[in-house]
Amino acid sequence: MSGPTLHLAVEIDGDGAHPAAWRRAAHSPDQLLTPRRVAQIAAVAENAGFTLVTLDDGVLPPGVSPDPVGRIGAVERAAFLAASTSTIGIAPVVPVTYAEPFHVSSQLASLDHISAGRAGWVVREEERPEAARAWGRPVVADADARARESRDGVEVARALWDSWEDDAVIRSVATSRYLDRERLHYIDFTGETYAVKGPAIVPRPPQGQLVVLGRPDRVPAAQLDVALVEGLDLTAVATAAAAAGTPRVFAELEVALDTPDATATERITDLERHAPWTDRGRLRHTGPPDQLIALLGELSRHVDGVRLHPLVLDEDLPVLSRLVLPALSERRLVARPLPGTSLRSTLGLERPANRFATAAVQEEEAR
């Protein structure tokens, strides 16, 4: 545990966690994919004091007709938010089941530069076979094979982020040199399905290594900064958190809150007329804000943070902003990110040393 502070993240993809959330949204469906919409939601989350926003993604469109089935890529949305926010962390979901890890690492490193060190990466798998056809790749149908692709993808990305030492860019006008080639390194990765030589085409990210979030049962704990753990009750979450083996642990929590216009139960019943709220094996809170505050207090004894999945963003996020986060702040359970602070620093994670620079120093000392 990092201390008494509970870090709160919120998933802001689409209109909410329920597949029919758009039916209760405060905007028309055609506004969902506009820059103004995603910027408004991120601004509410930042002003409320959330540590982090995440943006779900996948190569296939979400949902099925008649629900909205489109989304803009998470990395593109994250880059836009990086320029329109100042303190909140931004972590897109980027699967590497089929995507090229070299390109993923470049995109994420660029995002960290744009955000001045506020970027993260949520690692997830592409499970549907249709995703393989979209990429023009053979299907990775086996769960162990998908886990292998995630493991190798994270390993490659992390190595590429270190392939430029921090002082590789010298910008010497006198010698007409932009780079010190001695401080660029090949990573020489060879996995079961591909090889990557490197180095990267983007300088080392401001954080050194982006904050990597994922499920510890799908990505080795040693490759994660933050484990995302699930469980249907508090005991299950606590057990999963204790076994995670990562520097930080966030619990996944779906929330449907009572609002001034309707109770959580009434809102869910209204949406269930159109589609079911699928049970994903996550802890779920349905009810008044004060009970959520109490639940978060209990969770703070077991985890470092919680990622919230609101039923309907336009209805639940205002309640979270007005009632939940202020109450948690009064109890000193949460603290808003400070301006000019990296996501790693906000989470209490050290900036890692460059593996190649460290190896060179050790080699020199051994001589």
Side-chain angles (χ1 to χ4, degrees), residues 184-209:
L184 266 62
H185 304 276
Y186 296 115
I187 68 169
D188 292 326
F189 171 85
T190 301
E192 295 181 36
T193 58
Y194 60 83
V196 178
K197 191 171 184 64
I201 58 173
V202 179
R204 194 175 193 226
Q207 295 182 97
Q209 296 276 318

Side-chain angles (χ1 to χ4, degrees), residues 78-93:
F80 177 77
L81 293 180
S84 60
T85 57
S86 59
T87 60
I88 197 166
I90 306 163
V93 169

Side-chain angles (χ1 to χ4, degrees), residues 90-326:
I90 306 163
V93 169
V94 188
V96 284
T97 308
Y98 302 106
E100 295 284 355
F102 186 93
H103 300 314
V104 169
S105 73
S106 299
Q107 291 176 317
L108 293 171
S110 298
L111 177 63
D112 204 42
H113 283 285
I114 296 169
S115 65
R118 293 182 286 123
W121 174 21
V122 182
V123 183
R124 205 188 62 187
E125 299 171 2
E126 295 273 19
E127 298 183 358
R128 295 165 58 185
E130 297 89 345
R133 291 197 293 269
W135 281 100
R137 299 287 181 85
V139 175
V140 182
D142 181 73
D144 290 339
R146 291 197 301 271
R148 176 201 64 212
E149 295 302 312
S150 293
R151 178 196 68 220
D152 288 354
V154 175
E155 183 177 345
V156 166
R158 284 194 176 280
L160 287 169
W161 292 335
D162 275 349
S163 65
W164 290 49
E165 294 184 32
D166 290 320
D167 53 356
V169 179
I170 55 178
R171 296 187 178 92
S172 173
V173 176
T175 61
S176 299
R177 296 169 65 212
Y178 178 73
L179 292 174
D180 183 347
R181 295 180 59 184
E182 298 298 319
R183 288 177 169 78
L184 266 62
H185 304 276
Y186 296 115
I187 68 169
D188 292 326
F189 171 85
T190 301
E192 295 181 36
T193 58
Y194 60 83
V196 178
K197 191 171 184 64
I201 58 173
V202 179
R204 194 175 193 226
Q207 295 182 97
Q209 296 276 318
L210 276 71
V211 175
V212 180
L213 306 90
R215 290 175 48 178
D217 60 335
R218 308 307 300 160
V219 181
Q223 294 182 331
L224 296 174
D225 297 296
V226 179
L228 300 174
V229 299
E230 300 175 343
L232 292 175
D233 54 40
L234 189 59
T235 300
V237 170
T239 300
T246 52
R248 300 289 177 265
V249 180
F250 277 34
E252 301 276 33
L253 176 60
E254 297 174 341
V255 294
L257 296 169
D258 293 347
T259 70
D261 299 321
T263 66
T265 301
E266 290 171 341
R267 296 168 56 225
I268 293 173
T269 301
D270 178 47
L271 293 174
E272 294 287 288
R273 295 185 296 112
H274 307 284
W277 191 8
T278 304
D279 184 354
R280 299 178 180 272
R282 295 170 178 163
L283 190 62
R284 182 177 292 180
H285 168 77
T286 301
D290 59 340
Q291 291 182 7
L292 174 60
I293 294 167
L295 174 59
L296 291 171
E298 289 292 328
L299 283 168
S300 69
R301 301 176 183 178
H302 307 286
V303 298
D304 303 284
V306 176
R307 180 165 70 143
L308 301 175
H309 300 262
L311 180 77
V312 180
L313 282 168
D314 286 342
E315 293 181 326
D316 293 285
L317 191 55
V319 178
L320 291 167
S321 302
R322 292 197 304 266
L323 301 178
V324 177
L325 270 79

